[in-house]
Amino acid sequence: MKTKLSILFAGLITSSAVMATTITVVNPSNKASPGTVFAKSYEQALSQNGKYDVQFYQASSCADADAKYNRTKNAVMVVNADVNIAAKSKGMACSFQATEANTTLITKSYLKICRKAGSTKEFGTERTTVGLASVILSPGLFTDLNGGNKRKLVGVPYSGSKTVLAAVLSGDIDYGIMGAGIAEPAAAKGEVDCTFDYDPAAKNYLGKTVTGLKIPTMPIINVVHTNSDDAGVKAAVASASTNKAFIASIATHGFRDTKNSGITAGDVSTVEKYINDLYTTYWKK
């Protein structure tokens, strides 16, 4: 009996010793949103490390994501700036905890403004309906786009870029403001004509035509950071941020303006300033 107990005890010790450390990827984005596709793609890249037990936590809100991140050892937050801004507009707790030391990736994808292929509808010279995700629709945005009374644009809320595209194609709305991951494939198929782009490097950059905008460029910004102080975990989180398959995957969704090494305090503060400026300009009452 004593020998059997010794063997059992030794087995338990061995099992405990090889038990993998858990890394929890926390996602504050809506479950059905492109933000979750991004977070899932990052989770897959992190899982390829093979040394860790990678878990995915789908938060019910930004506040829930904050709470999970703060109470969980070796957690990774996949920030979507639009989620932070929307939460702030509703008076919900939604902190930005990225720092130079804990951030491994900052990436941007620029919104496109598209109409159905063949449409000759001008952008606001007469009443023009413009659909976009409800998470970014605000009165301040259209006050800015309309330039006082220069244009006659009317915002129409949708659940996300996929439903905006469907509404453009069906003729329910005149224009749609969509993420690149939805707009670019549709444009390549000849389904839509993307007349304006929020990317300042684009030939059809919105700010060149619609002048005087308070915020002329409006990217979708995602940030990855971790609360871990474990050197191995931090290295794995950083490595996943440079994973070639992951970078290629997010590029198909327009995330090509990516920094995943040498991130500075200035890079992080620029994102935080953008969140605060967009909230103050377009959302704050």
Side-chain angles (χ1 to χ4, degrees), residues 127-142:
R127 188 180 187 278
T128 305
T129 52
V130 182
L132 69 167
S134 58
V135 72
I136 58 174
L137 174 59
S138 70
L141 170 60
F142 277 85

Side-chain angles (χ1 to χ4, degrees), residues 1-270:
M1 174 65 85
K2 186 175 181 180
T3 302
K4 289 182 178 179
L5 287 174
S6 297
I7 293 172
L8 176 60
F9 184 64
L12 289 172
I13 292 175
T14 302
S15 176
S16 177
V18 299
M19 186 177 294
T21 297
T22 297
I23 302 176
T24 303
V25 176
V26 180
N27 177 44
S29 296
N30 183 283
K31 189 175 182 179
S33 74
T36 297
V37 175
F38 181 100
K40 281 285 189 180
S41 183
Y42 177 80
E43 177 206 13
Q44 290 172 8
L46 186 55
S47 296
Q48 287 177 19
N49 180 282
K51 296 180 181 179
Y52 299 96
D53 173 30
V54 180
Q55 301 291 322
F56 190 85
Y57 182 79
Q58 176 59 55
S60 59
S61 66
C62 197
D64 179 41
D66 272 359
K68 178 65 176 179
Y69 180 80
N70 291 334
R71 70 173 181 263
T72 304
K73 186 177 181 180
N74 299 323
V76 178
M77 179 73 82
V78 183
V79 177
N80 181 307
D82 289 335
V83 172
N84 283 55
I85 294 164
K88 285 168 71 73
S89 73
K90 297 173 183 176
M92 297 170 59
C94 188
S95 62
F96 183 74
Q97 300 185 49
T99 67
E100 177 182 3
N102 72 10
T103 301
T104 61
L105 179 138
I106 298 173
T107 186
K108 301 175 185 176
S109 177
Y110 294 91
L111 296 167
K112 320 295 178 187
I113 302 178
C114 313
R115 62 188 178 186
K116 187 175 181 179
S119 171
T120 57
K121 183 77 172 184
E122 294 296 326
F123 192 63
T125 54
E126 57 185 10
R127 188 180 187 278
T128 305
T129 52
V130 182
L132 69 167
S134 58
V135 72
I136 58 174
L137 174 59
S138 70
L141 170 60
F142 277 85
T143 297
D144 198 18
L145 286 172
N146 280 321
N149 294 317
K150 291 180 183 178
R151 285 167 288 278
K152 301 174 183 177
L153 304 170
V154 180
V156 183
Y158 286 88
S159 60
S161 291
K162 286 184 179 180
T163 50
V164 171
L165 174 61
V168 169
L169 296 180
S170 67
D172 290 342
I173 52 177
D174 301 313
Y175 281 82
I177 300 179
M178 295 174 269
I182 298 298
E184 290 177 350
K189 293 176 185 176
E191 296 176 340
V192 297
D193 172 24
C194 294
T195 54
F196 299 112
D197 197 313
Y198 269 103
D199 183 353
K203 292 181 179 180
N204 58 339
Y205 172 48
L206 178 66
K208 290 179 181 177
T209 303
V210 182
T211 59
L213 291 173
K214 293 179 181 178
I215 299 182
T217 180
M218 195 165 63
I220 299 169
I221 305 178
N222 287 346
V223 178
V224 174
H225 64 79
T226 180
N227 64 9
S228 181
D229 57 7
D230 181 292
V233 170
K234 289 163 71 174
V237 171
S239 179
S241 295
T242 62
N243 179 283
K244 290 183 179 180
F246 167 64
I247 296 301
S249 173
I250 65 174
T252 64
H253 295 277
F255 287 97
R256 304 183 191 102
D257 184 354
T258 299
K259 189 166 187 179
N260 51 14
S261 65
I263 291 170
T264 67
D267 295 325
V268 175
S269 63
T270 296

